[in-house]
């Protein structure tokens, strides 16, 4: 069990460019979560899939951010027209089911927008 | 909506000393409670969780936490810290029925001095 795998670990993009972050959940896990971590805001929930269906995207900025889960083995978080304030560590997590079971986190992708 | 407050952003203790990290939550219903630890450049790792029953729960590496409904608290304790415990500790809550979507406190950075 390799855990939740996030790629790349580090990404540097120029302002205005697009960034795509990848997440491979633990095999068999049906729930996938995305969080954003910054010094100022701490850990913020972004969005959540269960059985590949979007369940809750209440934390996603309405513009420029989108998340998908095209199959059970990976999810992507896409940020269009990146801005310096998007710089953060983006954490992906997965769990067996959504119903209050243990959530396992990946090591995160550090996005830096220059 | 639920929220979590960790009043001590930075804590320094001597190796071998006891530790308490405080966590207060606000929720309209009794939430599910968690403590996570984050080592540098790593994802979050679950230390312990409380769903119901005995208010004192045991976790990994000698950590325990005590739930108090009357005080809306879930403080983390360890009898004797080791230098390897230096990390950032996050308290989190989840409301039943919302899957494992977690709301985190801002974290407490623990430094164990020799």
């Amino acid at each position: 069990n390799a855990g939740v795998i996030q790629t790349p670990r580090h990404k540097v993009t120029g302002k205005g460019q697009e960034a795509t972050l990848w997440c491979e959940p633990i095999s068999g896990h049906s729930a996938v979560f995305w969080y954003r971590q910054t010094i100022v805001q701490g850990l913020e929930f972004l969005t959540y899939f269960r059985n590949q269906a979007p369940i809750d995207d209440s934390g996603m900025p309405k513009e420029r951010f989108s998340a998908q889960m095209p199959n059970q083995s990976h999810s992507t978080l896409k940020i269009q027209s990146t801005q310096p304030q998007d710089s953060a560590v983006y954490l992906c997590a997965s769990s067996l089911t959504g119903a209050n079971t243990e959530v396992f986190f990946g090591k995160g992708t550090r996005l830096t927008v220059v | 909506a639920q929220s979590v407050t960790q009043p001590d952003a930075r804590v320094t203790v001597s190796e071998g000393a006891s530790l308490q990290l405080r966590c207060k939550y606000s929720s309209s219903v009794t939430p599910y409670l968690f403590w996570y630890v984050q080592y540098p450049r790593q994802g979050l790792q679950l230390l312990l969780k409380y769903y119901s029953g005995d208010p004192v729960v045991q976790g990994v590496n000698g950590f325990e936490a005590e739930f108090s409904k009357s005080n809306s608290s879930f403080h983390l304790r360890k009898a004797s810290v080791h230098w390897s415990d230096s990390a950032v500790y996050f308290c989190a809550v989840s409301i039943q029925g919302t899957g494992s979507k977690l709301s985190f406190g801002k974290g407490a950075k623990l430094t164990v001095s020799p």
Side-chain angles (χ1 to χ4, degrees):
Chain A
N1 184 349
V4 176
I5 299 173
Q6 291 189 249
T7 55
R9 290 294 313 278
H10 303 273
K11 186 173 182 68
V12 180
T13 63
K15 181 179 175 181
Q17 291 185 328
E18 181 178 287
T20 299
L21 312 181
W22 295 74
C23 171
E24 181 180 330
I26 293 173
S27 178
H29 281 194
S30 59
V32 173
F33 306 84
W34 285 94
Y35 291 84
R36 177 170 62 183
Q37 185 175 25
T38 61
I39 298 293
V40 174
Q41 297 296 330
L43 280 154
E44 301 173 283
F45 168 80
L46 293 177
T47 189
Y48 155 45
F49 295 86
R50 184 187 298 164
N51 295 322
Q52 301 173 232
I55 301 298
D56 183 345
D57 67 353
S58 58
M60 289 280 275
K62 296 308 176 189
E63 297 180 356
R64 303 186 296 107
F65 282 65
S66 62
Q68 295 182 330
M69 191 162 184
N71 57 61
Q72 63 185 8
S73 64
H74 88 273
S75 175
T76 58
L77 179 68
K78 184 179 293 185
I79 309 171
Q80 296 177 313
S81 185
T82 54
Q83 303 298 309
Q85 61 264 30
D86 299 331
S87 297
V89 176
Y90 290 84
L91 293 168
C92 179
S94 71
S95 68
L96 267 173
T97 68
N100 296 304
T101 56
E102 182 172 346
V103 179
F104 295 84
F105 284 81
K107 293 183 178 181
T109 294
R110 180 175 296 278
L111 176 66
T112 302
V113 182
V114 299
Chain B
Q2 64 275 15
S3 65
V4 179
T5 301
Q6 293 182 247
D8 307 308
R10 294 178 180 271
V11 177
T12 300
V13 297
S14 299
E15 190 166 23
S18 63
L19 168 71
Q20 176 173 276
L21 298 178
R22 295 180 291 166
C23 172
K24 299 269 287 184
Y25 67 88
S26 174
S27 173
S28 57
V29 299
T30 300
Y32 291 52
L33 296 153
F34 308 83
W35 275 98
Y36 282 86
V37 61
Q38 186 176 36
Y39 298 101
R41 296 172 295 283
Q42 299 292 316
L44 297 162
Q45 299 173 27
L46 182 66
L47 277 179
L48 48 76
K49 57 185 183 288
Y50 175 78
Y51 290 163
S52 64
D54 189 336
V56 179
V57 292
Q58 303 296 321
V60 299
N61 298 331
F63 286 94
E64 67 174 28
E66 183 167 5
F67 166 68
S68 171
K69 186 173 182 177
S70 60
N71 293 322
S72 298
S73 67
F74 189 56
H75 301 331
L76 181 71
R77 301 190 298 242
K78 187 171 185 178
S80 177
V81 297
H82 186 264
W83 64 267
S84 60
D85 293 325
S86 295
V88 182
Y89 292 79
F90 293 92
C91 182
V93 303
S94 174
I95 301 299
Q96 185 177 14
T98 60
S100 294
K101 172 184 171 181
L102 296 164
S103 296
F104 288 90
K106 289 292 181 72
K109 184 174 183 179
L110 172 67
T111 301
V112 180
S113 59

